[in-house]
Structures are given as C-alpha cells and as structure tokens.
Amino acid sequence: MTGLIVALDTTDIAQARSWADATASSCEMLKLGLEFFAANGPGGVRALGNGEKIFLDLKLHDIPNTVAGAVRALLPLRPRLLTLHAAGEAAMIRAARAAADAAGDARPRLLAVTVLTSIESTLSEIMLRAEMAMAAGADGVVCSGHELRALRELLGDDALLVAPGIRPAGSAADDQARTVTPRAAAAAGADWIVVGRPITRADNPAQAASAIAAELASTPSPLEGEGRGGG
Ligand code: C5P
C-alpha cells in the first residue's frame, strides 16, 4: 500500500509538532526539509519523534567527501529516508551510500532528486539521472506523479518511489504546476506520497490527512502482495 508522508514546511517547532500530532494516526512519516533543519537543527528533528518516522529532505549536494561527512553526521538521528541531488553525480552518491552503510540495516534509505521541478527538464533526462543514481547506490528517487510508471518500469520493483506534488481532487494547486491525486499516485505504484499544504493549511489537518490515507488504502497498488516494507 502507498504510505502518506506529511511535509512539515515551517521553522516553528511547536507548529510542526502540532501538525505531527494531528496526523499521527494517518501518516507514516514526517518530512522535514531545509527550512525546518536550518531553524531547529538535529535537536528539532529529535523533538519530532524517532528516526523511523523521519524523512530528512536535505537534498545534499557537494563534493563526495563533504556529503559523506554530512551523512555520517546525520546517522545518529536515524532518519528512515534522506535525499541527495543526483546532480552530484555517481561518485557523490557512492560516497553517501558508503557512509550510510556504516549504520547497517538501520541505515537511512537514500533518495535521489533527479531534476528540481523549478528547472526545465525532460523525462529522458530524469530517467538517465535516476538510473545513474540507482547504479551508484541510491535506494530510490523523488519524482512527480506523472513519472511514476515510467520510473517503475525502468528501475524495477525494488526502487523506492516517493512522489510530492499531490493534490486531492478539488483542492488548490498552490504553486504546484502538474499535480496528481493520491489515488492516481497509488495506482501508479508510489511507495509514498508527500503532501504538505492540503493537510497543513486545511481547517482540520487531522481530517484532511485521514481522508487522504483512506483514499490510499482503497486504491490497489500494482506492487501489492510483494511484501514491500514501504507500507
Ligand atoms: O505543500 P505541498 O504539498 O506542495 O508540499 C510538497 C512538499 O514536497 C514540499 O515540501 C516541497 O518542497 C516538496 N517537493 C515538491 N516537488 C519536488 C520535490 C519536493 O513539491 N519536486
């Protein structure tokens, strides 16, 4: 089944905790990005819960030695998922994976960001970068709902596919240009969807999250029955 991740895009730790509490029964993970991390650091991440619930979206991108050092520094937080830029190329991703492997089975799963959605790109470029990232040791990619089927076919069933840019039918697109619904993302084989404002800006975040979780639960996944850990 496709799992729900709520994006806590705020610098305010009390606000983040309140969203986390409101969505606890329907969300598998909390996505904390640069905005939150810059304001609250590792202590802020710990305050949100144990690592098993944490998706650290820090989009690491630097020389291999520096990225490896950053991954090592993050290991004590035990994040379940961690992002890095595929633009850092294979050597950087290999170094990140080697650093993550020091944590053994509890290591963070590494997700490659292929091309930022704010930058013009083509599906073939995204596919090339995704393939390179997986060959270098990434566990999966962050991709748009529109790329899920092509990437699943290219990367196989073991790749973790995480899709942001999700909007429930009838909700505001905000600044997301090409959205898909939770149902469409689940049917296309996403392991997790990332949803921010449709939950955090809702009058009732708990209700918004549980409605999305119910939509996911009622959508058969193409990967169903294969014993995936992705929920
Ligand atoms: O509020 P909304 O649902 O649009 O939030 C989506 C989250 O996913 C944000 O944290 C955003 O940074 C992230 N994201 C995205 N598109 C990408 C990569 C990440 O919207 N391509």
Side-chain angles (χ1 to χ4, degrees):
M1 190 182 106
T2 302
L4 175 59
I5 300 176
V6 60
L8 305 180
D9 291 318
T10 176
T11 56
D12 181 346
I13 200 160
Q15 176 67 84
R17 287 185 77 146
S18 134
W19 287 332
D21 290 346
T23 59
S25 59
S26 14
C27 287
E28 262 186 57
M29 269 181 271
L30 309 168
K31 184 174 88 77
L32 299 172
L34 274 175
E35 189 179 350
F36 181 89
F37 199 74
N40 302 297
V45 177
R46 284 198 184 90
L48 264 276
N50 71 34
E52 193 47 25
K53 277 210 86 169
I54 301 298
F55 170 8
L56 265 189
D57 185 19
L58 300 182
K59 298 189 177 69
L60 303 177
H61 184 188
D62 209 313
I63 59 170
N65 187 56
T66 299
V67 167
V71 170
R72 267 193 298 277
L74 292 167
L75 289 183
L77 293 174
R78 299 184 158 268
R80 184 160 167 196
L81 300 174
L82 175 66
T83 49
L84 65 181
H85 272 288
E89 309 243 311
M92 187 200 83
I93 295 166
R94 272 196 300 271
R97 176 61 188 268
D101 279 345
D105 280 350
R107 72 175 176 85
R109 268 39 186 183
L110 301 178
L111 300 177
V113 174
T114 53
V115 184
L116 288 172
T117 37
S118 51
I119 296 170
E120 285 275 315
S121 180
T122 60
L123 181 60
S124 66
E125 187 183 358
I126 287 165
M127 289 173 77
L128 273 175
R129 289 212 186 168
E131 216 169 13
M132 175 280 295
M134 295 293 291
D139 297 286
V141 297
V142 178
C143 65
S144 111
H146 297 278
E147 295 151 8
L148 283 166
R149 284 180 203 278
L151 285 172
R152 178 64 72 203
E153 193 166 319
L154 177 75
L155 303 176
D157 288 353
D158 289 341
L160 300 176
L161 300 183
V162 178
I166 304 293
R167 289 294 178 270
S171 71
D174 303 306
D175 54 357
Q176 297 281 13
R178 295 171 66 238
T179 62
V180 308
T181 63
R183 188 177 305 287
D191 290 284
W192 290 284
I193 60 169
V194 175
V195 183
R197 288 162 291 181
I199 293 173
T200 58
R201 301 283 182 267
D203 291 338
N204 186 334
Q207 207 171 65
S210 86
I212 294 170
E215 187 172 328
L216 295 176
S218 70
T219 311
S221 156
L223 299 169
E224 212 89 320
E226 290 174 28
R228 298 171 67 75

